[in-house]
């Protein structure tokens, strides 16, 4: 891997100042620097997770984009579904990253077995990732990348937060991977064990201050151990240290592991294959998250019982009131259930996007997942309502209106989840989009003027009108009102899809 005058600017701020260096096969290179030095920014550029403002990147002598599948990237933030077992997580990743193996379960199992054996975590295959130790979880991150057998491995603070023994074990593994012929680059602020690296790059304020062996770095900065390095850097401005940077030593002799034969054959799964893998994984994650699943289903049952016992549908006005409560409830339930679906795994999507995962397949899998759950939740809700309080109307027609309202609510929740920057923000924004569904529906007296026009922009308005017709005994299904609900759902889903694409483009798309 070679970086030539690599720079990164955000607005008026320069994060990286024209860095040039190379990482060769068989080398393990540490990127050192105090907080804010630009280490994570650098590794994100090298991984393709962000676009450089200037400069050029090469992989295996080719432009970065042409050889990007030869690269493995282990980000600082864990990007894996903790409720899955190690086997389930790795098999899903293998199907997405090495789709040519997907047709043969045996080959998939063999690839996974080889990787976990190599990383010494084979005995944990049937363990949920949430129950693994910190060091084992770091190995899971490495295992995901080794599924494609990369030539270059980038690791961002992979020993951060680990105890000394676990950090040493991870460092030992990275050394073994480098000795097998891979180019390994690791950012770290932990200075213990740096002497074991082949080379170090020292950064400060986005500038490259040194590129050479650990021993030469100690001599250049005039310190006896790396634990004194950062204090020494504070003695002069980074620009001064940069001006004093010694010449880069010549590259070591090396024999590329397989670079000459590498042809970039790994391509991420696409189309129906990617959609199927993502959907099955999503269903498994939903079922494994027993607490959230039970809470969402229990909410449907409890709210249905409350409505059934609090209201008696013994008059047209009472039935209309009950109908509105039913529509509002399923719309609310659907939105709440979907409002974290995308944002909760943003790190997972970002990591898989770097391998070429299609955002269209990802969005489609989320749409199928939240709509399926909405229909299951609505069926349960409707069944409980009718078991407790017959409404005097066809349960199929009532259930049909509620299903369409739930679908629009789920689509709205998915839009909120895509727009939110965190799970907390998604939960906080959900009432802001749901309260207008109550305010702008005239259940006691019809709304007039602007309020009435705003009400027509709410799914709850159309669901309420459709339910009013059903409970009043009007002949036929009220498609004139209920048929508007799928249009709302389509608009919300298109908005979610568009937001995902815009953010992906702003980030830089796949590497």
């Amino acid at each position: 891997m070679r970086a030539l005058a690599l720079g990164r600017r955000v607005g008026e701020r320069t994060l990286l100042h024209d860095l040039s260096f190379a990482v060769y096969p068989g080398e393990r290179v540490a990127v050192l620097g105090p907080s804010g030095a630009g280490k994570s920014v650098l590794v994100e550029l090298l991984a393709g997770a962000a676009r450089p403002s200037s400069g050029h990147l090469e992989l295996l002598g080719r432009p970065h984009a042409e050889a990007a599948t030869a690269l493995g990237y282990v980000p600082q933030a864990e990007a894996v579904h903790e409720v899955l077992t190690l086997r389930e997580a790795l098999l899903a990743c293998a199907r997405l990253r090495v789709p040519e193996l997907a047709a043969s379960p045996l080959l998939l199992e063999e690839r996974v077995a080889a990787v976990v054996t190599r990383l010494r975590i084979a005995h944990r295959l049937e363990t949920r990732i949430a129950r693994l130790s910190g060091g084992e979880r770091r190995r899971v991150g490495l295992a995901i990348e080794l599924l494609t057998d990369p030539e270059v491995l980038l690791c961002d603070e992979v020993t951060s937060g680990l105890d000394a023994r676990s950090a040493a074990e991870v460092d030992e593994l990275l050394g073994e991977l480098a000795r097998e012929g891979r180019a390994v680059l690791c950012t770290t602020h932990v200075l213990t064990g740096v002497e074991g690296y082949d080379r170090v790059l020292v950064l400060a304020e986005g500038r490259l201050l040194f590129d050479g062996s650990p021993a030469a770095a100690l001599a250049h900065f005039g310190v006896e151990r790396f634990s004194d390095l950062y204090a020494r850097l504070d003695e002069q401005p980074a620009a001064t240290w940069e001006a004093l940077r010694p010449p880069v030593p010549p590259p070591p002799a090396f024999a590329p592991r397989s670079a000459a034969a590498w042809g970039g054959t790994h391509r991420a799964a696409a189309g129906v294959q990617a959609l199927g893998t993502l959907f099955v994984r999503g269903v498994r994650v939903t079922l494994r998250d027993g607490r959230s699943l039970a809470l969402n289903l229990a909410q449907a049952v409890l709210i249905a019982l409350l409505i059934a016992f609090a209201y008696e549908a013994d008059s047209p006005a009472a039935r209309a009131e009950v109908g509105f409560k039913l529509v509002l409830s399923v719309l609310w339930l659907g939105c709440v259930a979907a409002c974290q679906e995308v944002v909760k795994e943003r790190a997972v999507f970002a990591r898989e996007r770097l391998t070429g995962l299609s955002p269209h397949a990802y969005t489609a899998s989320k749409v199928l997942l939240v709509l399926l759950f909405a229909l299951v939740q609505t069926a349960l809700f409707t069944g409980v309502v009718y078991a407790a309080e017959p409404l005097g109307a066809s349960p199929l027609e009532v259930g049909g209106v509620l299903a369409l309202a739930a679908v629009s609510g789920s689509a709205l929740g998915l839009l909120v989840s895509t727009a939110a920057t965190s799970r907390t923000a998604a939960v906080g924004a959900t009432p802001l989009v749901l309260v207008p569904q109550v305010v702008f529906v005239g259940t006691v007296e019809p709304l007039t003027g602007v309020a009435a026009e705003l009400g027509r922009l709410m799914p709850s308005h159309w669901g309420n009108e459709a339910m009013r017709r059903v409970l009043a005994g009007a002949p036929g299904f009220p498609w004139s009102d209920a048929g508007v609900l799928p249009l709302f759902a389509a608009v919300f889903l298109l908005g979610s899809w568009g937001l995902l694409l815009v953010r992906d483009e702003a980030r830089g798309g796949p590497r």
Side-chain angles (χ1 to χ4, degrees):
M1 168 178 281
R2 187 182 302 274
L4 303 172
L6 201 63
R8 174 69 170 170
R9 290 179 295 278
V10 177
E12 298 298 320
R13 185 184 178 194
T14 300
L15 303 180
L16 292 179
H17 296 262
D18 299 335
L19 274 58
S20 296
F21 61 90
V23 183
Y24 300 98
E27 276 193 321
R28 183 167 57 121
V29 177
V31 180
L32 309 179
S35 297
K39 303 186 297 296
S40 292
V41 175
L42 173 61
V43 79
E44 286 177 0
L45 294 184
L46 298 179
R51 291 174 176 170
S53 303
S54 59
H56 180 66
L57 275 172
E58 292 182 356
L59 276 175
L60 306 180
R62 309 181 190 185
H64 189 283
E66 293 181 9
T69 54
L71 180 67
Y73 170 47
V74 184
Q76 182 175 358
E78 293 183 356
V80 65
H81 295 93
E82 295 184 345
V83 297
L84 298 180
T85 67
L86 177 56
R87 180 192 297 277
E88 291 167 340
L90 292 181
L91 284 176
C93 288
R95 291 188 182 97
L96 291 173
R97 297 183 177 216
V98 197
E100 58 267 25
L101 299 180
S104 172
L106 180 60
L107 291 178
L108 278 174
E109 290 282 358
E110 288 178 350
R111 177 65 64 90
V112 168
V115 168
V116 296
T117 300
R118 176 70 188 78
L119 297 178
R120 300 189 283 278
I121 50 175
H123 62 293
R124 306 291 270 167
L125 266 176
E126 304 305 329
T127 304
R128 289 195 185 189
I129 292 174
R131 297 172 182 167
L132 299 179
S133 68
E136 289 170 336
R137 290 164 73 112
R138 290 293 193 274
R139 297 187 196 193
V140 172
L142 290 171
I144 291 173
E145 297 307 320
L146 293 181
L147 289 170
T148 59
D149 195 23
E151 300 294 330
V152 179
L153 186 62
L154 305 175
C155 302
D156 189 12
E157 300 282 3
V158 291
T159 59
S160 178
L162 299 182
D163 60 76
R165 179 178 178 181
S166 297
E169 290 174 349
V170 172
D171 268 339
E172 181 184 352
L173 281 171
L174 293 174
E176 292 175 4
L177 294 173
R179 287 190 290 274
E180 292 173 359
R182 296 179 181 85
V184 178
L185 180 142
C186 307
T187 67
T188 181
H189 68 274
V190 179
L191 299 178
T192 304
V194 172
E195 293 84 356
Y197 282 74
D198 299 299
R199 279 176 43 233
V200 295
L201 306 177
V202 180
L203 302 184
E205 299 177 15
R207 300 176 185 274
L208 180 60
L209 311 186
F210 182 83
D211 178 357
S213 70
L218 294 175
H220 173 69
F221 291 106
V223 294
E224 294 184 358
R225 49 188 177 272
F226 278 100
S227 58
D228 299 327
L229 175 62
Y230 294 165
R232 176 66 168 149
L233 295 181
D234 289 338
E235 295 177 6
Q236 298 187 94
T240 302
W241 282 117
E242 183 184 35
L244 296 173
R245 185 178 69 208
V248 179
F254 62 88
R257 172 173 166 267
S258 59
W262 184 84
T265 56
H266 293 308
R267 292 292 182 269
V272 175
Q273 183 179 351
L275 173 60
T277 299
L278 291 168
F279 177 71
V280 170
R281 185 178 68 181
V283 170
R284 184 171 282 125
V285 168
T286 300
L287 295 177
R288 286 289 175 80
D289 190 0
R291 183 175 301 176
S292 295
L293 178 63
L295 180 61
N296 283 321
L297 295 180
Q299 285 177 343
V301 172
L302 180 60
I303 293 173
L305 289 174
L306 289 174
I307 292 174
F309 287 114
Y311 297 92
E312 293 185 5
D314 53 0
S315 69
R319 282 195 292 273
E321 184 70 15
V322 171
F324 173 65
K325 296 296 190 300
L326 295 178
V327 168
L328 182 63
S329 295
V330 296
L331 197 150
W332 197 290
L333 288 168
C335 187
V336 169
C339 73
Q340 299 184 59
E341 191 59 40
V342 173
V343 71
K344 71 181 182 182
E345 56 179 46
R346 172 169 289 180
V348 175
F349 172 70
R351 185 175 187 179
E352 292 177 342
R353 184 71 181 112
L354 291 177
T355 68
L357 176 66
S358 165
H360 312 303
Y362 180 80
T363 303
S365 72
K366 289 301 178 186
V367 170
L368 290 177
L369 186 64
V370 299
L371 296 190
L372 175 62
F373 188 79
L375 294 177
V376 171
Q377 197 176 39
T378 303
L380 178 63
F381 180 85
T382 306
V384 173
V385 167
Y386 266 85
E389 177 67 34
L391 298 176
S394 167
L396 291 179
E397 291 187 354
V398 170
V401 172
L402 293 180
L404 292 176
V407 164
S408 65
S410 295
L412 179 59
L414 200 64
L415 177 59
V416 170
S417 186
T418 307
T421 56
S422 68
R423 300 181 73 164
T424 301
V427 172
T430 300
L432 298 179
V433 299
L434 287 176
V435 169
Q437 307 300 325
V438 182
V439 174
F440 292 104
V441 177
T443 56
V444 179
E445 293 184 3
L447 299 176
T448 59
V450 176
E453 294 305 315
L454 288 175
R456 296 174 67 84
L457 299 177
M458 305 295 155
S460 58
H461 165 82
W462 300 96
N464 183 47
E465 291 300 312
M467 186 62 72
R468 191 194 304 271
R469 291 174 182 270
V470 169
L471 295 181
F477 190 76
W479 285 112
S480 60
D481 296 311
V484 180
L485 294 172
L487 299 180
F488 276 104
V491 170
F492 297 148
L493 294 176
L494 285 173
S496 180
W497 174 69
L499 269 176
L500 198 69
L501 292 181
V502 168
R503 286 188 167 176
D504 182 66
E505 178 63 24
R507 181 195 55 77
R511 60 178 183 233

